[in-house]
Amino acid sequence: MSGGGGGGALGRMRRRSTFSFNEKILGLAILLITAVPFILHQHIVHDEVHHHPYHRPPQTSKVVNRNFGSAKSGGHVRYSIDGEYTYDGDLPADIGETGRTLLLSALQKRPVWDQELVPDLEKERCDRYFVYQNYDSNTTTYKGRKRRRVFMGSLIADDSWHTLATIAMETYGIYTAVAFVESNRTQTGIPRKSRFVEGTLDHKLLVESNLFGPETEVLIEHFSHEEKVEGMGLIREHMQRDRILKLWKKAGMTPDDVGILTDADETVSRDFLRAVQSCDFPQFDAETENCDTPKVAVASMVFEGSPECMTVTRKWMHPDIILGKCIEGIGDDSFKLTDDERHRPFAWRKPKFTKNKGNYSGWPKEKTTYPLWNAADFRRDQGGFKFIFEDVSYLRFRMGHTGFHFHNFFDTTQQLRNKYRTYGHPVPKANNMTISEIHPDLDLFVDCVLNRNATSNKHKTLTTRLEEFEGRIPIAYTIDGYSLARHKEMGQILLEDELGHDKSWHDNPVSPVGKKNSVPLDEKGK
């Protein structure tokens, strides 16, 4: 699904403790192996309560709890709609009651509650974010600067309104422009019906309704490429992402602005998004940044299929953020790589034009700026990036998440099967498999929603209700009763699936357990 910003007071965090060398090595190993697992999560009760809201609900809403807590204290804003919605247009018929509640909340006309820039609060915010490699000193500070303009771009297809509305609520009123690209084919080349074409209800809601804020421009381009693509799905995907960069240019992006490349099921948390605008990240300084190490990678908390299925043993290292000066089409074209310097057109760079793999050995030494990043570089780990975390007290290594990933959020099991059958990493027989048999992530999702034993799964989900989690949660998930209601709704959708749930990922012949069980016995019965 979508969302972000679950603690929001800007109280100062406790001073960071100094770690021994061994602890730092252990922390780095955890990061590399499991993308900073939250299995070390400890439930700590905090007494400190702050009163600066990270989110003020719509004017027609009733505040259920006015104790606005930070990610440190664990307090979350809770509110419910108590009055008439300001949006009185049509809504999609197939999104259920929870979908209607969420989308109507996202469509509410309301002020941008944190529009005012308050220096003391910005300084406290900036002090919280750091790069793990440089843990003992703050990555960012605040020096009284005005907020940067930020542009967001994403591919879009069959994404649930639960996800889209959550992302819109999280980022409401912040982005200067939001750019979407929709293709008439999936990444594997399978035809699909375009959904957000002009004149449709989906287009009206996404582009024309001020869903992302009263002054945020929303652009959408429809991509069609019927010829065979050299490089198959990944190149087709990067061809589409390249259109996002052109839409940013069309919307007025300059080298001083910042671009965030996402998928439609990801978002930066609101607090970190405000930090991107205000804090003195060296990566976002157009005067000093030479595009050597320009990318900031967000450490996102993963929700698997349901708001109540938050995984606690991994992070998703997207979205990705880069200064306009370093982006193809926005920065100086004299620093643009040629197609020969990439693996193929629209593809990522050859190793000698990267930071870590080739240390830019092929780049002319006299050039004052390193190569511009195209959409493929932007999304892939091409060297020259930093993972950014929020300093939190409920994790041993204090590496809190800075975004959210809403994985496998769909409204029907048919949509879910179609995704796995036709998109990036296709499972050809998905239509004839149980949901949990298709992929280990779906196995975890089914176990969580149907309350099945998940001890044999690779990842684990939060064992308590989301409202008890100490860290940030999406703003949308603070709507009173929404998270649990949607979780129950997903359970009903799964129980109605005609293929049932007798088989799981462990029965799939391509899984480690399935491979072992499917090997025929030799003549000795071994």
Side-chain angles (χ1 to χ4, degrees):
M1 221 146 141
S2 344
L10 301 173
R12 183 179 301 276
M13 301 294 289
R14 193 168 60 194
R15 288 182 62 87
R16 300 187 178 102
S17 57
T18 301
F19 294 101
S20 69
F21 176 79
N22 289 337
E23 285 180 308
K24 289 185 177 181
I25 293 298
L26 177 59
L28 182 58
I30 292 172
L31 170 61
L32 295 175
I33 296 172
T34 63
V36 198
F38 266 37
I39 201 165
L40 297 177
H41 181 129
Q42 299 178 28
H43 292 280
I44 301 172
V45 176
H46 301 277
D47 295 325
E48 181 180 6
V49 175
H50 302 281
H51 298 278
H52 181 77
Y54 71 85
H55 169 56
R56 289 194 180 98
Q59 292 181 343
T60 57
S61 302
K62 176 177 66 179
V63 177
V64 176
N65 182 355
R66 289 190 177 275
N67 291 325
F68 298 99
S70 67
K72 175 185 175 183
S73 68
H76 300 307
V77 179
R78 299 284 162 186
Y79 71 90
S80 60
I81 301 300
D82 185 25
E84 295 184 2
Y85 292 99
T86 56
Y87 177 81
D88 59 0
D90 294 331
L91 294 177
D94 57 352
I95 60 175
E97 286 304 312
T98 61
R100 289 180 60 83
T101 297
L102 180 61
L103 190 50
L104 282 172
S105 299
L107 290 167
Q108 287 277 56
K109 291 182 180 179
R110 58 200 187 275
V112 181
W113 58 91
D114 55 355
Q115 185 66 48
E116 181 183 2
L117 195 155
V118 182
D120 287 346
L121 298 180
E122 296 298 331
K123 185 179 186 307
E124 290 184 83
R125 171 183 286 124
C126 295
D127 285 346
R128 290 203 297 274
Y129 293 101
F130 68 95
V131 176
Y132 183 81
Q133 297 93 316
N134 192 29
Y135 188 89
D136 288 328
S137 63
N138 290 335
T139 296
T140 61
T141 56
Y142 178 71
K143 297 179 181 178
R145 69 176 326 281
K146 67 178 183 179
R147 285 178 174 149
R148 300 177 181 90
R149 296 199 310 168
V150 184
F151 293 68
M152 188 271 269
S154 173
L155 304 184
I156 195 168
D158 301 320
D159 303 277
S160 169
W161 278 111
H162 284 269
T163 301
L164 297 173
T166 305
I167 292 173
M169 290 186 72
E170 190 67 27
T171 63
Y172 184 81
I174 294 183
Y175 290 126
T176 295
V178 173
F180 292 105
V181 173
E182 180 182 26
S183 175
N184 66 339
R185 290 182 178 271
T186 70
Q187 277 80 356
T188 54
I190 303 298
R192 62 173 296 275
K193 183 180 179 181
S194 294
R195 173 183 170 194
F196 296 95
V197 295
E198 192 168 355
T200 63
L201 176 58
D202 283 332
H203 184 277
K204 178 182 177 182
L205 293 171
L206 184 72
V207 180
E208 307 169 38
S209 67
N210 295 324
L211 180 68
F212 286 86
E215 298 181 6
T216 299
E217 181 181 10
V218 178
L219 307 91
I220 188 165
E221 180 174 326
H222 296 281
F223 176 89
S224 177
H225 184 88
E226 299 304 312
E227 295 82 17
K228 183 179 179 180
V229 176
E230 182 186 1
M232 299 301 290
L234 280 177
I235 301 304
R236 177 180 287 275
E237 179 176 336
H238 293 313
M239 290 172 68
Q240 296 173 45
R241 291 189 190 280
D242 180 70
R243 302 296 181 91
I244 292 173
L245 309 188
K246 291 178 171 58
L247 287 174
W248 284 347
K249 182 73 172 180
K250 180 180 178 181
M253 188 177 185
T254 71
D256 292 319
D257 299 324
V258 173
I260 301 182
L261 199 63
T262 80
D263 278 346
D265 60 357
E266 305 164 349
T267 185
V268 180
S269 71
R270 187 176 189 89
D271 190 77
F272 184 51
L273 189 53
R274 284 301 193 192
V276 168
Q277 288 189 293
S278 301
C279 302
D280 291 306
F281 287 91
Q283 294 88 351
F284 303 147
D285 187 337
E287 292 187 5
T288 61
E289 177 58 59
N290 64 1
C291 306
D292 171 60
T293 311
K295 187 168 86 168
V296 167
V298 174
S300 290
M301 175 62 71
V302 180
F303 291 87
E304 192 62 57
S306 165
E308 292 288 332
C309 296
M310 186 181 74
T311 61
V312 294
T313 50
R314 64 173 170 175
K315 283 200 180 84
W316 175 250
M317 296 312 189
H318 295 294
D320 308 290
I321 313 175
I322 297 184
L323 180 70
K325 176 183 178 179
C326 302
I327 300 173
E328 277 195 8
I330 308 298
D332 187 339
D333 278 348
S334 63
F335 304 113
K336 179 180 178 181
L337 290 174
T338 66
D339 288 345
D340 290 338
E341 292 168 330
R342 298 186 175 277
H343 290 281
R344 55 175 61 89
F346 301 102
W348 46 98
R349 311 164 181 192
K350 292 180 179 178
K352 62 183 179 179
F353 298 103
T354 68
K355 168 72 172 179
N356 294 340
K357 296 178 181 178
N359 286 318
Y360 296 118
S361 61
W363 190 244
K365 291 182 172 54
E366 66 273 13
K367 290 202 173 184
T368 57
T369 296
Y370 287 93
L372 300 180
W373 292 54
N374 77 352
D377 302 324
F378 210 135
R379 189 65 180 179
R380 291 169 60 93
D381 291 343
Q382 283 296 302
F385 61 92
K386 301 287 187 182
F387 294 130
I388 303 293
F389 300 95
E390 180 177 9
D391 182 17
V392 296
S393 59
Y394 63 87
L395 293 175
R396 181 179 178 188
F397 294 99
R398 308 183 71 95
M399 290 153 45
H401 54 279
T402 43
F404 304 100
H405 179 37
F406 310 100
H407 196 219
N408 290 322
F409 275 65
F410 284 86
D411 295 317
T412 69
T413 51
Q414 180 183 359
Q415 291 173 339
L416 202 51
R417 288 191 174 94
N418 185 62
K419 167 192 170 180
Y420 276 88
R421 186 177 64 84
T422 65
Y423 280 82
H425 304 283
V427 180
K429 298 181 180 180
N431 279 348
N432 299 317
M433 293 180 175
T434 68
I435 294 299
S436 56
E437 189 181 4
I438 297 171
H439 193 275
D441 290 343
L442 293 179
D443 192 21
L444 179 66
F445 160 54
V446 174
D447 286 348
C448 175
V449 172
L450 298 185
N451 198 27
R452 302 193 312 191
N453 189 313
T455 55
S456 59
N457 286 332
K458 178 180 179 181
H459 292 294
K460 309 300 177 187
T461 55
L462 193 68
T463 57
T464 62
R465 289 186 57 181
L466 184 62
E467 67 178 1
E468 298 176 31
F469 175 61
E470 294 97 323
R472 293 191 182 277
I473 65 174
I475 287 174
Y477 293 0
T478 66
I479 297 176
D480 190 47
Y482 165 76
S483 179
L484 191 58
R486 177 58 178 168
H487 185 73
K488 292 179 179 178
E489 194 173 69
M490 290 307 302
Q492 188 62 37
I493 290 172
L494 287 179
L495 291 175
E496 293 173 355
D497 187 73
E498 60 183 11
L499 292 184
H501 305 285
D502 291 339
K503 291 185 177 181
S504 73
W505 167 248
H506 309 289
D507 300 303
N508 190 320
V510 304
S511 73
V513 176
K515 283 181 180 179
K516 180 179 179 181
N517 293 337
S518 63
V519 174
L521 298 177
D522 61 21
E523 59 184 3
K524 295 182 180 180
K526 295 183 179 179

